[in-house]
Amino acid sequence: MNRESGGACPACGRRFAASVLQCAAGDTVGLPVIHGGEAPACTQLPGAAEAARAGEVLGHYRIVGTLGHGGMGTVYRALDESLQRYVALKVIRAAPAAAADTRHVQRLLQEAIAQARVNHPNVVHIYYVGREGKSPFFAMELVNGPTLAQRLEEGPLPFAEVIACAQQVVSALQHAADFDVLHGDVKPSNILLADAGTVKLSDFGLARRLSEIAEQPDRVAGTPNYLAPEAAAGAPLDVRSDMYSLGVTLFEVTFGRLPYAHSGSGVLERLRAHREAPVDFPHPWPDSVPGAWRAVLAKLLAKTPAERYPDYGTLMADLARSRPVALPAAGRALRGLAWLVDLGLANTVREVLSAPLTAASASNSFEPGPGLPLAVAFLGGLAPLLGSLLQSFWGTTPGKKLFQLRIVDRHGLALGKAALAARMAVQLLPIWAGTVLQVCGALGAPGLGQLLGALLLLAAVLDAGFAFFHRRCQSLHDLLFGTRVVLDTGPHPGP
């Protein structure tokens, strides 16, 4: 058999076309297909037909209908007649030979045990493992929702949903790693969307014990579209291999496509892209996605494991910082009062800093000249600088803290320190106006100082007035820096 002419299943003799291997990049395949050798038995070929089994009873489970087909078998909707509840029943396709049958059972037990070990709210729960004739099966939690792959048919997810999904999947993968389990096949079709925004990770058919991977480095299987470069090469795997697959998944749900442009549709072309091709980020970057998300995806999709996140805790911290926080906009009155408090405090600091030299000048302790007024102006200018630094490092100001206000970007994320400092400097324009007036006066150009001071005060009035009339209560400096002032009533996304 080969990719040009197709071939036959080595187990049952069923013929298949060459297009089966060409289109298998989105399905789970094993080592032979990945490295160009013989195809596995039809139990692993995607899209193999499964006869309708409605009404059939396996153990105490009565099959009601088909939910979907996988690489190893079919998942049915079934009624648990002992507890009168519906479950998802995964039935492994019957093997034609005794040796293959043993492998079937071992594979089934491996998946069920791995999935059962990871008892987590974001992992599909396993209820029962059994066998009826030549059909090994296990029953698991029935999730009343589509897979992430099915949801993607409607287009990319809103960014807030992407982050919520990512946090839950990472929580599940981290819990699995704590129990010595590597999932091995993270992809949209193995992530189920349950009710109330909950996602559940499923299909641990390729799961392995992390502690045993070094002893069996050549056991390679996965889905070519999501397979980490080291996995395809037969190199040792660890949690960072699952991170790579998660990165491909998150890229896809964010932008509605895979992260690499392919010259062909075959499996080998896609595996080569994972090893060699740069990530094809969208250009221009969409306004609906924070720019910081690019760095997270780039780190997950790094070609070598050493360049990815060292552990799930570090990744989770970045996800928390990237999660938008939906908070109500602050009203005009609260914004105005907070601004007046900050302005008053800055002016008080200005007076306190310059008071010693001003008092010395009044007592004739210094000879007249421009040096003393310049020193007074310099000390007064420290006040708005200190205000900007306070905003930058503290993330807020006394006025905003008093009235419980928070500054966020257009996505609801925390601003960087530089943006916070620059924004505060604009808010303190009236203080800068006084400083400019003093400096110009000390240099013998009071007219210029009055002109520049008046322009700064006019800019401050226009900035505040714009916020008063803007329908979303945004000032000119909000539009300049892409910020919003919101009520500080929710969790902080992080620095």
Side-chain angles (χ1 to χ4, degrees), residues 315-491:
L315 170 57
M316 190 66 89
D318 269 4
L319 292 177
R321 282 188 284 268
S322 302
R323 182 166 189 169
V325 180
L327 296 172
R332 294 173 177 83
L334 289 179
R335 287 198 62 172
L337 289 172
W339 178 59
L340 289 175
V341 168
D342 290 336
L343 204 61
L345 287 173
N347 188 62
T348 300
V349 172
R350 177 172 174 268
E351 295 296 330
V352 169
L353 290 173
S354 58
L357 287 181
T358 302
S361 176
S363 65
N364 297 320
S365 300
F366 292 91
E367 293 294 329
L372 182 59
L374 274 176
V376 172
F378 172 76
L379 289 175
L382 290 178
L385 287 176
L386 289 174
S388 296
L389 290 174
L390 175 65
Q391 172 79 85
S392 172
F393 289 101
W394 193 19
T396 186
T397 61
K400 296 180 182 67
K401 195 73 173 177
L402 178 63
F403 293 98
Q404 292 186 296
L405 305 181
R406 186 196 305 184
I407 303 169
V408 297
D409 67 10
R410 64 180 181 273
H411 301 289
L413 303 179
L415 289 183
K417 295 183 182 297
L420 284 171
R423 187 183 184 281
M424 190 61 189
V426 174
Q427 285 190 289
L428 296 178
L429 282 177
I431 308 300
W432 290 114
T435 300
V436 168
L437 187 62
Q438 283 185 313
V439 170
C440 290
L443 295 176
L448 177 61
Q450 291 175 354
L451 175 61
L452 294 176
L455 290 175
L456 290 175
L457 287 175
L458 178 61
V461 170
L462 290 175
D463 185 43
F466 192 88
F468 183 81
F469 290 104
H470 193 272
R471 63 186 181 89
R472 291 197 297 269
C473 195
Q474 284 185 289
S475 62
L476 286 174
H477 68 262
D478 283 326
L479 299 180
L480 175 65
F481 294 106
T483 59
R484 294 185 297 124
V485 181
V486 297
L487 298 180
D488 193 6
T489 58

Side-chain angles (χ1 to χ4, degrees), residues 28-46:
T28 302
V29 295
L31 179 66
V33 172
I34 289 175
H35 291 293
E38 289 189 354
C42 60
T43 55
Q44 291 183 335
L45 287 175

